[in-house]
Amino acid sequence: KAIIVTFQLPLKSKISTIAKSEKVLVRNYEVIYELFDEIEEVIDSMGAPIEEEIDVAISKIKQVFTLTNGDTVLGGEVTKGTMLKGYRVKVMRKDKELGRGKITSLRMGKQEAKEVKKGLECGIIIDPKVLDVMEGDEVIAFRVEVY
């Protein structure tokens, strides 16, 4: 159940027989633009995938710190789900998105953490840095589902 595309390559009868028995479509093209045209038609017929962001964790920012190395730490409490290091996140102020990034550091106190569960406080560093973050904003971790 596959497709093999070839360009200026005659197919031997033994290979053709095997391809038919295995339900493999083999297409040979003599003119390259015909190959490109057909591939473009197939891609167009597939349609664009639909992506949906699903929120998996939320942290309410209580305080913003700047470290001596310039990193911004977003200190807050996880109010939904479990925050994990490496999650993709967006920083929101009410309905306005301030920026997006990835959690590069997650700490509970002075200890590095891999995860922080609902009800616990933590410090979050996001890369790239999101500017103008303030108390009351939210860090929302999400996953993307493609349909």
Side-chain angles (χ1 to χ4, degrees):
K1 296 182 180 177
I3 300 173
I4 296 176
V5 179
T6 63
F7 177 65
Q8 294 183 346
L9 184 67
L11 196 61
K12 297 185 177 174
S13 63
K14 183 177 179 182
I15 294 173
S16 180
T17 304
I18 293 170
K20 284 179 185 173
S21 70
E22 296 294 324
K23 298 180 181 175
V24 174
L25 177 62
V26 179
R27 303 287 296 226
N28 181 40
Y29 296 88
E30 295 296 321
V31 181
I32 194 74
Y33 71 84
E34 291 174 353
L35 167 87
F36 292 144
D37 288 346
E38 186 159 339
I39 289 175
E40 187 176 335
E41 284 176 27
V42 169
I43 291 172
D44 287 345
S45 71
M46 293 170 66
I50 298 171
E51 293 185 355
E52 182 181 0
E53 291 181 0
I54 308 295
D55 296 349
V56 294
I58 299 174
S59 178
K60 184 89 166 177
I61 298 173
K62 293 183 172 183
Q63 197 167 4
V64 179
F65 307 90
T66 302
L67 301 179
T68 55
N69 66 1
D71 285 341
T72 300
V73 179
L74 308 177
E77 180 182 349
V78 179
T79 58
K80 174 187 173 188
T82 301
M83 279 291 172
L84 293 174
K85 183 177 179 180
Y87 265 171
R88 293 170 46 185
V89 295
K90 56 188 172 186
V91 179
M92 302 291 293
R93 180 172 299 145
K94 296 186 182 178
D95 292 332
K96 182 182 176 194
E97 184 175 311
L98 302 177
R100 290 177 178 244
K102 181 179 175 183
I103 297 176
T104 57
S105 179
L106 189 61
R107 293 187 177 268
M108 291 181 64
K110 301 256 183 210
Q111 300 294 320
E112 187 74 24
K114 291 184 180 180
E115 66 177 32
V116 179
K117 297 180 188 268
K118 179 180 176 181
L120 298 175
E121 292 187 344
C122 63
I124 300 171
I125 297 177
I126 301 171
D127 185 45
K129 186 181 350 183
V130 178
L131 303 175
D132 300 323
V133 180
M134 55 192 259
E135 183 181 326
D137 293 343
E138 291 182 320
V139 176
I140 302 175
F142 62 92
R143 72 175 187 275
V144 177
E145 289 191 3
V146 181
Y147 302 100

